[in-house]
């Protein structure tokens, strides 16, 4: 997404002390408080000069000039690969805190300015389920079916119970889109009260995105299953001694230190969690089964 480019360039600029600004036409970036360019329609300006040079990471900066981050998939990937490699410096406490402040300060109209969390004692779990543009047979490299999502939720709950006790209560919130092809009732097999927050198909309401992002930042557990949730996840505080707040993301993609890696082994149909903290036995890895497919051979109202 365009905002992924903006955020990556902003993080890089802060790391190197470069001047940064964003195109005036990019309203979503302006809403979040990113500086706006008035003389140039480019995002990263490390110095003064007239030459416009493609930017794909710190190594592409050879001196003063106007640098424009590449919008190609390869250019974005290269920039973020260098961010992950230098993340101790890239994700300084001041940068993470500032990104969190920008998200919290994004303005919402009154009908969206609400807090979803209902309980003061339950562990809040937010999961971003990517649907619509990603379905079986389309981008199988990142497709994760509902069965695996539910297994992942149960695995996370099991980890937390090990540390906080079997009586721990959970509050589950699912963030996704209403494309009509998902049977959300099947998530009731977790035994939790499931709170659904579904944006309309091809949602273009940026304020709904900001509302969801604020909840992604504040949840006790965030299961980030796409770029949409990974960007605000970068604003989350690191885990404490008890492992909370916990951020779960796919092991095969860019991750911040302190996050819990999630891996679905399709051959054994098992889930692996890596990088756990605060476990009673001191280990950092757990393996869990995925729920059997027979649990999902049911009608809408019987999936409980």
């Amino acid at each position: 997404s365009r905002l992924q480019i903006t955020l990556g360039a902003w993080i890089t600029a802060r790391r190197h002390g470069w001047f940064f600004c964003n195109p005036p036409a990019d309203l979503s970036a302006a809403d979040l408080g990113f500086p706006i360019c008035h003389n140039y329609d480019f995002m990263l300006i490390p110095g003064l000069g007239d030459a416009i040079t493609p930017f794909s990471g710190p190594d592409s900066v050879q001196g003063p000039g106007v640098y424009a981050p590449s919008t190609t998939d390869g250019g974005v990937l290269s920039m973020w690969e260098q961010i992950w490699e230098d993340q101790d410096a890239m994700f300084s406490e001041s940068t993470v805190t500032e990104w969190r402040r920008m998200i919290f300060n994004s303005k919402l109209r009154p009908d969206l300015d609400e807090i979803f969390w209902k309980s003061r004692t339950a562990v809040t779990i937010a999961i971003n389920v990517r649907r619509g543009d990603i379905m079986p047979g389309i981008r199988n490299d990142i497709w994760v079916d509902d069965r695996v999502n539910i297994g992942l939720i149960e695995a996370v709950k099991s980890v937390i119970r090990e540390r906080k006790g079997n009586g721990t209560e959970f509050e589950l919130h699912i963030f996704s889109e209403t494309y009509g092809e998902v049977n959300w009732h099947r998530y009731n097999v977790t035994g939790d009260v499931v709170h659904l927050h579904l944006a309309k198909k091809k949602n273009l309401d940026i304020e709904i995105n900001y509302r969801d992002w604020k909840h992604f930042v504040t949840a006790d557990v965030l299961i980030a299953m796409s770029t949409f949730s990974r960007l605000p996840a970068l604003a989350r505080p690191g885990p404490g001694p008890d492992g909370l707040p916990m951020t779960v993301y796919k092991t095969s993609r860019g991750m911040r230190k302190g996050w819990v890696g999630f891996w679905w082994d399709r051959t054994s149909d098992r889930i692996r969690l890596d990088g756990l903290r605060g476990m009673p036995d001191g280990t950092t890895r757990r393996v869990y089964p995925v729920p059997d497919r027979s649990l999902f051979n049911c009608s809408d109202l019987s999936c409980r």
Side-chain angles (χ1 to χ4, degrees):
S1 67
R2 177 72 185 222
L3 193 53
Q4 180 176 211
I5 302 170
T6 300
L7 182 61
W10 176 77
I11 290 171
T12 304
R14 286 179 63 92
R15 160 70 176 87
H16 293 277
W18 297 333
F19 177 73
F20 167 91
C21 64
N22 208 61
D26 195 340
L27 297 180
S28 61
D31 288 343
L32 284 166
F34 287 107
I36 298 300
C37 298
H38 295 287
N39 299 319
Y40 304 98
D41 284 337
F42 303 99
M43 289 189 294
L44 183 64
I45 307 179
L48 299 177
D50 297 323
I52 299 173
T53 307
F55 173 83
S56 58
D59 292 344
S60 65
V61 175
Q62 300 300 319
V66 178
Y67 290 79
S70 171
T71 58
T72 66
D73 288 345
V76 175
L77 181 62
S78 175
M79 179 170 63
W80 275 95
E81 282 180 345
Q82 294 182 64
I83 290 174
W84 300 126
E85 290 172 0
D86 189 25
Q87 60 177 284
D88 284 341
M90 292 287 189
F91 298 118
S92 66
E93 183 176 350
S94 64
T95 293
V96 172
T97 300
E98 178 64 10
W99 179 221
R100 184 162 59 247
R101 185 197 65 79
M102 292 164 71
I103 292 173
F104 286 158
N105 286 350
S106 60
K107 294 182 180 179
L108 303 179
R109 58 183 182 271
D111 63 305
L112 295 177
D113 194 6
E114 59 180 319
I115 298 175
F116 291 150
W117 315 138
K118 306 300 181 184
S119 172
R120 294 184 178 181
T121 58
V123 174
T124 53
I125 300 176
I127 179 170
N128 168 217
V129 178
R130 185 173 180 178
R131 291 294 179 261
D133 60 330
I134 302 297
M135 294 301 294
I138 304 174
R139 292 298 305 274
N140 281 335
D141 59 320
I142 60 175
W143 161 257
V144 179
D145 66 38
D146 292 326
R147 206 169 51 87
V148 178
N149 286 332
I150 291 169
L152 181 54
I153 292 168
E154 290 301 304
V156 166
K157 288 164 58 179
S158 177
V159 166
I160 293 172
R161 285 194 186 102
E162 281 190 66
R163 294 182 294 212
K164 297 178 72 70
N166 291 330
T168 303
E169 297 180 351
F170 298 92
E171 186 179 320
L172 175 61
H173 293 256
I174 298 174
F175 296 80
S176 191
E177 294 177 291
T178 52
Y179 278 76
E181 68 274 23
V182 179
N183 178 359
W184 296 108
H185 289 280
R186 59 181 49 166
Y187 283 82
N188 288 330
V189 301
T190 62
D192 304 294
V193 175
V194 178
H195 303 271
L196 291 175
H197 311 288
L198 305 179
K200 294 181 179 179
K201 185 175 183 179
K202 296 183 179 179
N203 169 51
L204 298 178
D205 190 336
I206 193 66
E207 291 187 34
I208 289 180
N209 294 346
Y210 296 155
R211 178 202 65 187
D212 294 351
W213 279 21
K214 292 181 182 185
H215 287 84
F216 292 162
V217 173
T218 58
D220 293 318
V221 178
L222 172 64
I223 301 176
M225 303 298 278
S226 71
T227 299
F228 174 68
S229 48
R230 183 174 71 165
L231 295 185
L234 296 172
R236 285 170 60 80
D242 65 350
L244 296 178
M246 179 191 297
T247 303
V248 182
Y249 195 68
K250 302 173 187 176
T251 301
S252 60
R253 297 178 178 268
M255 291 179 53
R256 265 192 67 193
K257 293 179 180 179
W259 288 5
V260 174
F262 145 65
W263 181 259
W264 172 30
D265 186 331
R266 297 173 189 242
T267 302
S268 65
D269 209 21
R270 297 176 75 82
I271 289 170
R272 189 183 78 218
L273 296 179
D274 293 323
L276 297 169
R277 294 191 178 190
M279 302 304 292
D281 60 1
T283 59
T284 60
R285 173 176 292 182
R286 291 286 189 278
V287 179
Y288 300 89
V290 174
D292 190 85
R293 294 183 186 276
S294 62
L295 287 174
F296 302 98
N297 296 329
C298 53
S299 64
D300 280 359
L301 297 181
S302 64
C303 293
R304 299 190 184 278

